[in-house]
């Protein structure tokens, strides 16, 4: 471990101070830069901003004493990081100072009370990469300082220097410096900014006390100490040198040889005592240092100091001091003050800004550049005459003006050191520049045009035609004035006709063909060729003409109060431009042609515009370094070197047109706000990267975009379109509140931006996926298709099965009908045939004598009745396919009642009811009826019964019918042996055919019981 005290330090400081005193001027040259202020109007939580950093996507993160904020180009967002931990979303509410560090992979490490959070700007995701809870009043326990091949070097409370890998895993603790010293750094109020810490690849520099800097070598773990007799205010370093600021000096040390290289004293630029300061090294080329409220830029060797000011020459800080300086990759310098945040465009702007800082008026109306002396003369309205030296600095402390010499319309040189000055209606003057003396111009005696020449208007102009001749426009005419030295030789009016006061001349111009162009107050434009032939140029609008210009391709450009027109040398209109074409404003004040092009630079009351005949327009406004947005009529000139000057209401801008090309850096284009269904999506990890995935009911979208670059976000030109929704580009300068209502689907939002100081267009695409409801997804359609196909298969199968079953049932029914018909035919043949034979045999017996006729007639009567019954029931059964049980039981009742009517000595009892809603096929119904009738007939004929009962019983399973008589009964077995049971067998056959349970119980002298039971489960309709 090595300790170096720099023994020659104090002597070197003394010598350097003496040398510097001889070199530094008391007044520094100014560097005017664009400055933007970010304060409470943009949402800054408080004025104690501690640290700042810009991520890879261009968002700038800021730490205050009350929270974490992110600047999106328009406003500051309050950020509460959302972390996913074991599928649980945890919101970390930061309400104290934090510390930033940017890794080489683009991720940010954010030190806070919960440890170190990692933020990935590409996925928009936070992660608690090093969880550590702070003890006591500490706001963080770990400070990342630099990243080397070994990992990320940090100071950890209670452990000193430690090294983590980029995944947050501790690799090693570095035994080196006294841990208490480093703990004191973390707990110190001075650490609220990183101005006391600086690092490069090999060294970490920390101001450990008011007069000591610790130099820690990350390669060999050695450390040195640099001592100062003065209090050290701030520390910075680049690759090879260390810079630190004291109350009196800015010092530069060599890191490798440990020697003092140079110093810069403050007492010659700041008469006050230096109480605050900050230093920052921008690469290896420049250093920014603040001295109280002044911001100074020096080269890396502490030479060529420049005082940074706003465009109008005012200090960047009106009050307060700078706490921290930060330079980001987008060429912006951020100054954290104790009042607000200043953002400086750290890019050389092409526009130089000239003005008299203490003048009452810098309203420049005319310009003249003396090529011989390199001096610029500017005539002002209510401001007299200004003169600038070769370095564009004011030549005088104040402009030259007297009572009648305040409003200057034109300036031209007549002889060495003598200039013609034309005022607005106050006469002509001669200026002796060396003597700074004005004299009234002497017109030749008897010159009648003097009064006309004095009668000019605000837009009256002059044009140098040759060494001796000026073209002078006045209200009544245009004059050709010839000079010899400082004397006017001749005055010739060029308009061949008299113009009234109401149609007065505004301006005039001679083109390269010798034709005179004259613009009138009421909009008429006249062209008079070199032969004196005049004509009116046909313009579509008639508004006051302010200026003319001829480009290198010999097109005549005409600037009016309502647009810009381009004509040929012969007066034919080629093209017109206005705000709809892309101009900042329709009122064109002055123009200068661009060398070698069909294009001009035009000024208006909204800025400058680069306009080409092809239609390309680039606009430049105050935010790009112009004196103001409003310029003045005829206040423009081009020098022999090609430098352009334009005068405006607050000074002069000068530039080379070539510097307007590729003079700016490309911004980073981002989506800064996403609103879904009128609810703002939190920026802490809701959408990731450049893809947005939403549900079908999250389809009302609103976007804000911003270009993160040196300029303000609203100073870029944007265009956008949503592929899948529209084909044409939409254009805007303020891309906020862009709304779409989308159907489910995939869209690509294309956004492009450019600035007029950037030669390229930046594009970015955002994928927007509106996921459909599940019933509109492909897999749902696929499943439903399969289900549909399955359903169709089932329906077709069921239909075919039913059709088959129906066909089979029809075949069975037809078969049964056929069988029934055959059986009926058989029955008719057997029963009716037998009964008919019996009748036939009976009639034969009646023909014979000696036969008991009465008994025979009764038998014939019974036989005929049976025939009719069988025939009637058979015909009824043949007419129907099925019959309700109630109808069947009704036929049984009717039959029983008729029996009771014929046999009065027999009592017929009918009881019970059939099952309700029961349908029986015709064959079974016929068999049931015939069995019941046969049983009743047998009881009447053979049983000698006095009572016959027919009963019906039913439940959910069966229907039972019983026929009971109280007759003499019989022996069933004996009857079957005698083969005299034809009727009983026929009943049993009918029951078996219809699957009816049938039984006869009979005991001699105890009557007979016949019952049949139908199983309802087996009945088929």
């Amino acid at each position: 471990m090595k300790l170096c005290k720099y023994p020659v330090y104090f002597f070197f400081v003394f010598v350097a101070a003496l040398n510097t005193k001889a070199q530094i001027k008391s007044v520094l040259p100014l560097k005017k830069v664009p400055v933007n202020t970010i304060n409470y109007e943009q949402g800054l939580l408080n004025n104690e901003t501690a640290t700042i950093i810009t991520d890879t996507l261009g968002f700038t993160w800021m730490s205050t004493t009350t929270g974490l904020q992110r600047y999106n180009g328009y406003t500051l967002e309050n950020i509460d990081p959302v972390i996913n931990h074991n599928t649980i979303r945890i919101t970390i509410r930061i309400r104290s100072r934090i510390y930033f560090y940017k890794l080489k992979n683009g991720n940010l490490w954010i030190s806070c009370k919960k440890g170190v959070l990692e933020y990935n700007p590409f996925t928009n995701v936070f992660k608690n990469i090093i969880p550590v809870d702070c003890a006591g009043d500490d706001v963080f326990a770990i400070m990342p300082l630099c990243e080397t091949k070994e990992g990320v070097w940090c100071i950890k409370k209670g452990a000193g220097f430690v090294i983590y890998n980029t995944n947050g895993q501790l690799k090693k603790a570095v035994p080196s410096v006294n841990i208490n010293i480093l703990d004191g750094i973390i707990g110190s109020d001075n650490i609220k900014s990183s101005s006391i810490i600086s690092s490069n690849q090999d060294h970490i520099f920390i101001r450990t006390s008011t007069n000591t800097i610790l130099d820690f070598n990350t390669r060999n773990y050695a450390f040195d100490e640099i001592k100062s007799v003065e209090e050290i205010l701030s520390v910075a370093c680049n690759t090879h040198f260390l810079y630190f600021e004291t109350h009196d000096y800015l010092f530069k040390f060599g890191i490798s040889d440990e020697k003092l290289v140079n110093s810069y004293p403050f007492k010659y630029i700041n008469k006050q005592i230096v109480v605050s300061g900050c230093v920052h090294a921008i690469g290896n080329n420049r250093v920014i240092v603040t001295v109280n409220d002044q911001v100074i830029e020096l080269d890396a060797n502490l030479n060529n100091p420049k005082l940074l000011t706003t465009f109008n020459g005012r200090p960047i800080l009106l009050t307060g001091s700078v706490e921290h300086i930060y330079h980001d990759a987008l060429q912006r310098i951020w100054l954290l003050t104790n009042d607000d945040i200043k953002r400086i465009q750290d890019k050389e702007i092409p526009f130089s800004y000239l003005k008299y800082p203490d003048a009452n008026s810098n309203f420049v109306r005319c310009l003249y550049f003396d090529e011989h002396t390199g001096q610029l003369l500017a005539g002002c309205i209510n401001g007299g005459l200004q003169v600038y030296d070769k370095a564009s600095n004011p030549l005088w402390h104040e402009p030259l003006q007297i009572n009648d010499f305040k409003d200057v319309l034109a300036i031209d040189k007549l002889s060495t050191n003598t200039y013609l000055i034309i005022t607005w209606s106050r006469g002509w003057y001669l200026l002796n520049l060396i003597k700074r003396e004005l004299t009234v111009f002497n017109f030749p005696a008897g010159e009648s045009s003097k009064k006309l020449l004095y009668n000019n208007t605000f837009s009256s102009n002059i044009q140098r035609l040759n060494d001796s001749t000026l073209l002078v426009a006045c209200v009544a005419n245009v004059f050709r004035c010839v000079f010899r030295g400082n004397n006017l030789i001749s005055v010739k009016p060029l308009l061949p006709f008299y113009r009234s006061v109401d149609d007065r001349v505004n301006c005039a111009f001679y083109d390269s063909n010798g034709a005179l162009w004259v613009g009138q107050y009421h909009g008429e434009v006249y062209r008079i060729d070199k032969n004196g032939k005049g004509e009116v140029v046909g313009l579509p609008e008639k508004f006051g003409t302010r200026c003319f210009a001829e480009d290198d391709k010999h097109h005549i450009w005409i600037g009016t109060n309502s647009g810009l027109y381009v004509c040929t040398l012969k007066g034919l209109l080629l093209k017109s431009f206005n705000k709809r074409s892309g101009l900042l404003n329709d009122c064109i004040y002055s123009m200068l042609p661009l060398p070698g092009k069909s294009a001009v630079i035009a000024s208006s009351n909204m800025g400058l515009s680069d306009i080409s005949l092809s239609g390309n327009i680039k606009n430049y406004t105050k935010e790009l370094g112009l004196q103001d947005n409003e310029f003045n009529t005829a206040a423009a000139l081009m020098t022999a070197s090609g430098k352009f000057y334009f005068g405006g209401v607050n000074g002069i801008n000068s530039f080379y047109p070539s510097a307007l090309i590729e003079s700016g850096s490309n911004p980073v284009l981002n989506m800064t706000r996403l609103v879904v269904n009128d609810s703002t999506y939190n920026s802490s990890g809701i959408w990731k990267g450049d893809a947005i995935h939403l549900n079908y009911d999250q389809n009302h979208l609103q976007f804000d975009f911003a270009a993160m670059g040196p300029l303000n976000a609203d100073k870029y030109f944007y265009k956008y379109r949503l592929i899948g929704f529209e084909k044409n580009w939409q254009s805007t300068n303020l891309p906020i509140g862009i709304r779409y209502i989308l159907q489910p689907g995939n869209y690509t939002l294309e956004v492009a931006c450019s600035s007029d100081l950037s030669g390229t267009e930046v594009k970015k695409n955002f994928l927007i996926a509106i996921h459909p409801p599940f019933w509109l997804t492909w897999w749902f359609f696929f499943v439903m298709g399969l289900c549909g196909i399955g359903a169709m298969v089932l329906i077709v199968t069921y239909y075919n099965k039913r059709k088959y079953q129906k066909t089979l049932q029809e075949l069975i029914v037809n078969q049964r009908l056929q069988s029934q018909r055959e059986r009926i035919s058989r029955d008719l043949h057997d029963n009716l045939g037998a009964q008919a034979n019996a009748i036939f045999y009976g009639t034969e017996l009646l023909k014979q004598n000696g036969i008991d006729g009465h008994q025979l007639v009764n038998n014939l009567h019974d036989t005929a009745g049976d025939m009719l019954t069988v025939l009637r029931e058979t015909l009824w059964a043949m007419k129907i396919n099925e019959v309700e049980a109630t109808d069947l039981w009704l036929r049984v009742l009717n039959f029983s009642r008729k029996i009771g009517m014929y046999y009065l000595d027999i009592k017929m009892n009918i009881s019970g009811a059939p099952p309700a809603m029961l349908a029986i096929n015709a064959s079974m119904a016929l068999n049931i009826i015939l069995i019941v009738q046969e049983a009743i007939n047998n009881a009447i004929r053979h049983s000698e019964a006095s009572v016959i009962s027919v009963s019906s019983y039913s439940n959910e399973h069966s229907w039972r019918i019983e026929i009971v008589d109280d007759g003499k009964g019989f022996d069933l077995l004996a009857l079957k042996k005698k083969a005299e049971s034809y009727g009983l067998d026929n009943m049993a056959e009918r029951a078996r055919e219809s699957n009816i349970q049938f039984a006869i119980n009979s005991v001699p002298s105890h009557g007979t019981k016949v019952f049949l039971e139908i199983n309802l489960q087996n009945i088929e309709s």
Side-chain angles (χ1 to χ4, degrees):
M1 195 175 292
K2 169 182 158 185
L3 185 64
C4 179
K5 298 293 186 180
Y6 294 91
V8 297
Y9 167 71
F10 299 115
F11 175 75
F12 200 165
V13 170
F14 177 75
V15 174
L18 293 177
N19 292 337
T20 309
K21 182 177 179 179
Q23 298 171 3
I24 301 299
K25 296 181 180 180
S26 60
V27 178
L28 297 180
L30 304 183
K31 180 179 179 180
K32 299 173 182 179
V33 294
V35 180
N36 293 98
T37 299
I38 299 173
N39 52 27
Y40 67 93
E41 293 181 356
Q42 288 74 37
L44 188 64
L45 288 175
N46 59 57
N47 58 2
E48 294 187 39
T49 309
T51 52
I52 187 170
I53 200 165
T54 299
D55 66 27
T56 307
L57 296 183
F59 290 97
T60 301
W61 299 73
M62 303 171 188
S63 164
T64 69
T65 56
T66 56
L68 172 64
Q69 294 188 284
R70 186 176 74 169
Y71 186 64
N72 62 17
Y74 305 106
T75 59
L76 285 161
E77 307 169 282
N78 298 329
I79 303 295
D80 287 327
V82 178
I83 295 172
N84 292 322
H85 180 70
N86 296 329
T87 71
I88 300 176
R89 293 171 63 86
I90 300 174
T91 300
I92 297 180
R93 304 193 183 281
I94 297 176
R95 298 297 180 265
S96 59
R97 289 186 289 108
I98 60 177
Y99 192 86
F100 295 114
Y101 185 76
K102 184 177 179 181
L103 301 183
K104 294 178 181 179
N105 60 13
N107 293 346
L108 299 184
W109 276 19
I110 304 171
S111 298
C112 64
K113 280 183 171 292
K114 295 296 183 180
V116 177
L117 308 181
E118 181 184 65
Y119 174 73
N120 187 325
F122 302 103
T123 61
N124 199 27
V125 171
F126 286 93
K127 182 168 61 174
N128 195 351
I129 195 166
I130 308 177
V132 176
D133 286 327
C134 290
D137 296 331
D138 291 340
V139 293
F140 43 78
I142 298 177
M143 287 179 59
L145 302 179
C146 71
E147 183 178 3
T148 66
K149 294 180 179 180
E150 283 191 274
V152 182
W153 286 71
C154 304
I155 298 176
K156 184 176 182 180
K157 188 82 172 187
F161 284 119
V162 294
I163 302 176
Y164 289 91
N165 63 22
T166 55
N167 295 322
Q169 298 171 337
L170 180 63
K171 293 184 65 176
K172 67 168 67 173
V174 181
S176 55
V177 186
N178 189 322
I179 293 177
N180 293 331
I181 295 177
L182 298 181
D183 285 352
I185 296 296
I186 293 182
S188 171
D189 288 338
N190 294 325
I191 201 62
K192 69 179 184 179
S193 74
S194 59
S195 297
I196 64 170
I197 299 177
S198 186
S199 64
N200 57 26
Q201 281 294 309
D202 301 325
H203 293 266
I204 299 173
F205 297 98
I206 305 175
R207 193 200 73 174
T208 56
S209 66
T210 57
N211 63 347
T212 304
I213 299 175
L214 173 69
D215 174 9
F216 187 87
N217 192 313
T218 59
R219 289 182 179 270
N220 56 22
Y221 299 176
F223 70 91
D224 301 331
E225 284 187 342
I226 303 173
K227 294 288 186 178
S228 170
V229 294
E230 297 185 31
E231 180 182 357
I232 298 173
L233 301 178
S234 179
V235 176
C237 73
N238 56 25
T239 305
H240 304 292
F241 299 99
L242 168 68
Y243 301 89
F244 66 87
E245 179 182 4
T246 68
H247 290 286
D248 296 324
Y249 292 93
L250 174 63
F251 293 106
K252 175 184 178 181
F253 273 92
I255 296 176
S256 60
D257 58 10
E258 302 174 343
K259 292 182 179 180
L260 179 64
V261 178
N262 203 356
S263 64
Y264 181 80
F266 298 141
K267 62 182 180 180
Y268 301 110
I269 61 170
N270 195 332
K271 297 180 181 180
Q272 301 175 350
I273 299 174
V274 179
V275 297
S276 66
C278 210
V279 62
H280 183 82
I282 301 178
N284 293 321
N285 300 317
R286 290 180 296 150
V287 176
I288 300 292
V289 62
T290 63
V291 181
N292 292 339
D293 58 353
Q294 293 181 315
V295 183
I296 303 168
E297 178 188 88
L298 305 99
D299 62 24
N301 200 37
L302 305 186
N303 294 321
N304 302 316
K306 297 177 183 178
L307 181 64
L308 301 186
T309 68
T310 62
F311 276 138
N312 58 11
R314 294 180 179 178
I316 293 177
L317 272 68
L318 297 179
T319 59
S321 60
V322 176
E323 303 287 341
H324 179 53
I325 304 172
Y326 172 68
H327 184 270
D328 65 22
L330 297 176
Q331 297 177 313
R332 301 177 298 188
I333 299 174
W334 300 80
L335 306 179
L336 305 188
T337 76
N338 54 6
D339 188 46
D340 53 26
I341 299 173
K342 305 293 185 184
R343 191 189 70 189
I344 299 173
Q345 177 182 328
D346 186 32
K347 183 70 178 179
E348 290 291 342
I349 59 173
F351 303 106
S352 296
Y353 182 26
L354 292 72
K355 67 177 295 187
Y356 269 57
D358 298 325
N360 293 328
S361 171
N362 279 280
F363 194 98
V364 177
R365 167 57 183 81
C366 61
L367 296 168
Y368 179 82
F369 185 80
D370 192 326
E371 297 286 351
H372 178 69
T373 64
Q375 294 174 331
L376 175 70
L377 285 71
C380 300
I381 299 297
N382 196 33
L385 182 68
Q386 300 176 352
V387 181
Y388 297 87
D389 60 19
K390 292 181 178 180
S392 298
N393 295 318
L395 185 66
W396 303 326
H397 292 295
E398 60 183 14
L400 174 63
Q401 57 180 338
I402 56 178
N403 290 336
D404 290 336
F405 187 81
K406 293 183 178 180
D407 302 328
V408 181
L409 295 185
I411 306 171
D412 209 299
K413 189 173 184 179
L414 297 181
S415 62
T416 303
N417 296 324
T418 303
Y419 302 85
L420 174 67
I421 310 295
I422 299 178
T423 66
W424 186 3
S425 301
R426 294 288 182 175
W428 291 15
Y429 291 84
L430 289 177
L431 168 69
N432 186 312
L433 189 60
I434 299 297
K435 297 180 180 181
R436 199 173 182 264
E437 181 179 82
L438 284 171
T439 57
V440 176
F441 185 84
N442 290 319
F443 276 82
E447 177 57 59
S448 61
S449 60
K450 176 180 177 180
K451 184 176 180 180
L452 295 177
L453 288 170
Y454 277 17
N455 184 21
N456 50 22
T457 184
F458 180 81
S459 59
S460 297
N461 69 306
I462 66 173
Q463 180 183 358
R464 171 67 69 172
L465 301 183
N466 54 47
D467 290 343
S468 60
T469 306
L470 289 177
L471 182 73
V472 180
C474 299
V475 170
N477 213 313
V478 180
F479 297 90
R480 183 186 182 95
C481 300
V482 179
F483 293 85
R484 182 177 298 162
N486 298 335
N487 300 314
L488 180 63
I489 302 302
S490 66
V491 178
K492 178 182 179 181
L494 299 179
L495 295 183
F497 44 83
Y498 174 77
R499 307 304 303 172
S500 67
V501 175
D502 292 335
D503 199 14
R504 62 184 183 267
V505 172
N506 259 13
C507 57
F509 176 75
Y510 253 121
D511 68 21
S512 58
N513 274 355
L516 175 65
W517 298 70
V518 179
Q520 300 291 328
Y521 177 78
H522 289 295
E524 295 283 0
V525 174
Y526 299 97
R527 177 182 174 274
I528 303 171
D529 64 20
K530 59 185 177 181
N531 297 319
K533 181 180 179 181
E535 62 179 354
V536 176
V537 178
L539 300 182
E541 303 283 349
K542 290 186 178 181
F543 291 92
T545 305
R546 287 182 177 267
C547 56
F548 294 92
E550 181 180 355
D551 64 32
D552 281 4
K553 305 299 181 181
H554 303 296
H555 302 109
I556 303 300
W557 298 68
I558 306 173
T560 74
N561 289 334
S562 184
L564 176 62
Y565 302 92
V566 186
C567 299
T568 65
L569 285 175
K570 293 184 178 182
L572 298 177
L573 181 65
L574 295 177
K575 198 160 189 174
S576 62
F577 298 89
N578 50 36
K579 286 183 67 175
R580 293 187 299 274
S581 308
L583 295 182
L584 291 168
N585 190 268
D586 288 341
C587 187
I588 305 300
Y589 285 153
S590 57
M591 296 179 290
L592 293 175
L594 286 168
K597 298 180 181 179
S598 296
V600 298
I601 299 289
S603 66
S604 68
N605 61 4
M606 289 299 291
L608 297 178
S609 297
D610 181 338
I611 311 165
S612 70
L613 186 61
S614 62
N616 294 326
I617 298 176
K618 291 184 177 182
N619 297 314
Y620 309 94
T621 59
K622 178 180 179 180
E623 288 72 20
L624 299 176
L626 302 184
Q627 50 82 36
D628 205 293
N629 281 331
E630 185 173 358
F631 286 81
N632 270 325
T633 302
L637 66 84
M638 180 176 66
T639 68
S641 65
K643 193 173 187 178
F644 283 18
Y645 287 85
F646 282 90
V649 298
N650 197 31
I652 305 166
N653 283 118
S654 64
F655 59 93
Y656 288 96
S658 59
L660 300 181
I661 303 174
E662 298 287 354
S663 60
S665 59
N666 292 329
V668 180
L669 188 57
N670 287 304
M671 181 186 298
T672 59
R673 190 171 70 115
L674 171 62
V675 177
V676 177
N677 294 346
D678 297 325
S679 296
T680 302
Y681 262 26
N682 193 311
S683 60
S684 301
I686 299 300
W687 79 85
K688 298 180 180 179
D690 299 333
I692 303 170
H693 295 271
L694 301 169
N695 295 326
Y696 71 95
D697 56 350
Q698 297 174 302
N699 62 335
H700 288 62
L701 307 183
Q702 179 177 329
F703 306 97
D704 291 354
F705 295 97
M708 309 296 186
L711 308 180
N712 281 347
D714 58 353
K715 301 308 175 185
Y716 291 91
F717 177 76
Y718 301 84
K719 62 180 182 178
Y720 63 91
R721 64 179 175 179
L722 186 63
I723 302 299
F725 182 85
E726 60 192 345
K727 294 182 179 179
N728 297 327
W729 289 93
Q730 310 293 326
S731 301
T732 182
N733 284 101
L734 191 62
I736 61 175
I738 300 171
R739 293 178 176 268
Y740 289 100
I741 300 176
L742 303 178
Q743 296 298 318
N746 293 325
Y747 304 88
T748 300
L749 183 60
E750 295 182 342
V751 185
C753 77
S754 61
S755 75
D756 294 318
L757 291 182
S758 176
T760 57
E761 184 178 69
V762 177
K763 291 185 178 181
K764 195 167 188 178
N765 294 341
F766 298 87
L767 172 65
I768 303 173
I770 307 294
H771 298 293
F774 72 89
W775 59 85
L776 293 179
T777 56
W778 68 268
W779 59 264
F780 181 81
F781 284 120
F782 179 74
V783 172
M784 291 304 297
L786 292 180
C787 293
I789 294 172
M792 289 294 294
V793 171
L794 291 176
I795 291 172
V796 170
T797 302
Y798 179 75
Y799 173 77
N800 291 334
K801 183 178 180 180
R802 290 290 297 171
K803 185 176 181 181
Y804 171 76
Q805 289 177 343
K806 185 177 180 181
T807 302
L808 181 61
Q809 185 68 24
E810 289 177 353
L811 290 174
I812 294 173
V813 171
N814 291 335
Q815 185 178 6
R816 289 180 177 177
L817 288 176
Q818 182 64 27
S819 176
Q820 183 69 13
R821 291 187 181 98
E822 291 176 356
R823 187 190 61 75
I824 291 173
S825 298
R826 185 174 64 252
D827 290 344
L828 291 176
H829 177 270
D830 294 340
N831 295 333
L832 295 184
Q835 292 169 352
N837 286 333
I839 293 173
F840 176 77
Y841 178 70
T843 55
E844 288 293 330
L845 292 178
L846 286 176
K847 291 178 182 181
Q848 298 176 10
N849 296 324
I851 301 299
D852 185 359
H854 179 73
Q855 181 63 36
L856 185 57
V857 170
N858 288 335
N859 291 337
L860 291 174
H861 179 271
D862 293 339
T863 302
D866 291 341
M867 288 179 63
L868 290 174
T869 298
V870 172
L871 182 60
R872 182 170 57 252
E873 300 299 342
T874 301
L875 293 175
W876 169 75
M878 292 180 65
K879 293 178 181 179
I880 59 176
N881 290 328
E882 61 182 20
V883 63
E884 295 290 334
T886 53
D887 293 339
L888 187 148
W889 185 248
L890 183 60
R891 299 190 75 85
V892 172
L893 292 178
N894 291 335
F895 176 79
S896 300
R897 290 192 184 100
K898 288 181 181 179
I899 293 297
M901 292 172 59
Y902 294 137
Y903 299 95
L904 299 177
D905 56 340
I906 299 176
K907 183 180 180 180
M908 297 295 297
N909 293 330
I910 308 297
S911 64
M917 305 299 292
L918 176 64
I920 303 173
N921 64 61
S923 175
M924 177 181 285
L926 178 59
N927 287 333
I928 292 172
I929 289 177
L930 291 179
I931 291 172
V932 172
Q933 290 178 356
E934 182 68 19
I936 294 173
N937 286 333
N938 287 340
I940 292 172
R941 294 173 183 170
H942 306 296
S943 68
E944 300 176 2
S946 59
V947 178
I948 300 176
S949 300
V950 181
S951 303
S952 174
Y953 309 93
S954 65
N955 56 37
E956 61 182 356
H957 302 295
S958 63
W959 181 22
R960 183 183 179 89
I961 301 174
E962 294 183 357
I963 304 96
V964 181
D965 65 68
D966 61 351
K968 61 182 181 180
F970 60 91
D971 186 350
L972 183 60
L973 293 177
L975 185 63
K976 289 184 177 181
K977 289 180 180 180
K978 295 180 179 180
E980 296 179 357
S981 59
Y982 173 76
L984 297 179
D985 293 339
N986 199 16
M987 292 168 66
E989 178 61 28
R990 290 182 185 279
R992 184 167 54 255
E993 182 182 289
S994 296
N995 199 21
I996 299 172
Q997 187 176 353
F998 174 77
I1000 299 176
N1001 293 326
S1002 182
V1003 179
S1005 302
H1006 289 83
T1008 303
K1009 180 179 182 180
V1010 178
F1011 70 89
L1012 55 158
E1013 187 171 350
I1014 301 97
N1015 188 344
L1016 302 183
Q1017 304 297 324
N1018 296 331
I1019 295 178
E1020 296 180 0
S1021 59

